[in-house]
Amino acid sequence: MNGIDTISQCAACGNSCENLKRCKACKMVKYCSVNCQKAHRPEHKNECKKRAAELHDEALFQKPPPRDDCPICFLPLQSEAQTAYESCCGKTLCSGCAYALGVDGSGKDGIRCPFCRVVIPKSLEDAIDRLEKRIEANDVTALNAMGKMYDDGGHTLQRDSNKAQRLWLRAAELGSSVAHANLADMYDCGEDVEKDEQKSTYHSEQAAMGGNEAARHNLGVEEAGVGNMRRAMKHFMIEAGAG
């Protein structure tokens, strides 16, 4: 900008120093102080917004991370409905291994976990106790499961959407795409929390970037609904590529 080296010099005053701070939005320019950043804002604002939007789309439309593998057969795990979470060891298994090895491991003391061979809980209370222990270890799957139980009610737990939200927010901070998707739905519906389209979109995008196909599909539908067919097709292509 204006011939100033945006890497080694302050974009506003041109001074060089070791503690230049990069603009968090566009990553293109650096400043030596907050005052310089504020002074340069009118000149930089439009270009900053444009580049920030480009960076956002680059991240949003990147190929999502690969799925985790089943720790037993080492095949990629499929959708959440085709997996089994073991609260004893915190492992997520493909449904095939969970069923086949679970049946093989049954005995007088009950069915054992296919991975760690611990007897699976015999009551819902025991299952909840194990989830709580996994939550203490910051297990995002346990956080999501307990949040879902509080959101639905029943399971010996009284329905509490605030607890569900807190659990999902904690899981989202730990990088769970499932938690982001749950929060997106919560803010979109506005049934138990204040409806907030901006927060819903944010969590949908975070979920999609984390590999959540349902969130990716919803973003495509939203873009198609407002006529942004090119963006919608990008979302659908990524979703289809994920299987």
Side-chain angles (χ1 to χ4, degrees):
M1 296 186 146
N2 295 330
I4 295 176
D5 185 339
T6 59
I7 301 300
S8 62
Q9 293 177 299
C10 173
C13 67
N15 288 337
S16 298
C17 65
E18 295 181 357
N19 298 319
L20 293 174
K21 301 296 183 181
R22 192 180 295 273
C23 175
K24 292 182 179 180
C26 69
K27 317 294 184 187
M28 291 193 304
V29 295
K30 294 181 179 181
Y31 300 101
C32 61
S33 67
V34 173
N35 289 335
C36 275
Q37 185 173 12
K38 289 180 178 179
H40 194 240
R41 181 63 179 167
E43 177 184 347
H44 177 58
K45 180 172 64 175
N46 291 337
E47 188 175 358
C48 181
K49 286 184 177 180
K50 179 182 178 182
R51 181 55 184 158
E54 291 172 350
L55 291 173
H56 174 267
D57 279 0
E58 286 176 12
L60 180 60
F61 293 113
Q62 274 187 346
K63 184 178 180 180
R67 293 190 177 109
D68 292 333
D69 293 338
C70 171
I72 295 178
C73 68
F74 300 109
L75 293 174
L77 294 169
Q78 299 304 309
S79 66
E80 190 177 2
Q82 296 173 299
T83 60
Y85 173 72
E86 305 296 340
S87 58
C88 43
C89 54
K91 299 296 184 181
T92 299
L93 314 177
C94 70
S95 55
C97 287
Y99 175 76
L101 298 178
V103 171
D104 289 344
S106 60
K108 293 182 180 180
D109 53 353
I111 297 176
R112 294 181 176 274
C113 168
F115 187 83
C116 69
R117 313 312 290 171
V118 170
V119 176
I120 67 172
K122 297 180 179 180
S123 68
L124 191 55
E125 289 77 9
D126 289 342
I128 291 174
D129 286 342
R130 286 193 182 178
L131 279 178
E132 289 176 342
K133 290 179 181 178
R134 294 303 308 168
I135 286 173
E136 291 176 3
N138 283 332
D139 185 325
V140 294
T141 307
L143 285 162
N144 287 324
M146 188 69 83
K148 183 65 175 173
M149 293 169 77
Y150 274 116
D151 191 50
D152 291 342
H155 308 293
T156 75
L157 297 176
Q158 184 177 358
R159 188 173 188 274
D160 190 329
S161 60
N162 289 327
K163 283 187 177 180
Q165 183 186 28
R166 288 197 297 272
L167 288 163
W168 287 338
L169 283 170
R170 182 175 163 189
E173 289 175 357
L174 293 168
S176 170
S177 63
V178 173
H180 278 298
N182 289 335
L183 289 165
D185 290 340
M186 179 176 275
Y187 287 119
D188 181 57
C189 294
E191 181 178 347
D192 298 303
V193 298
E194 184 177 354
K195 187 178 177 67
D196 191 319
E197 292 183 3
Q198 186 174 358
K199 286 184 178 180
S200 178
T201 298
Y202 166 77
H203 286 293
S204 288
E205 290 180 343
Q206 292 298 312
M209 287 187 284
N212 190 286
E213 287 98 2
R216 179 71 67 180
H217 177 80
N218 290 340
L219 288 172
V221 171
E222 290 176 7
E223 293 288 6
V226 294
N228 295 331
M229 297 307 300
R230 182 169 296 180
R231 293 176 66 85
M233 287 302 298
K234 285 185 178 181
H235 284 302
F236 294 145
M237 290 289 286
I238 294 173
E239 180 193 4

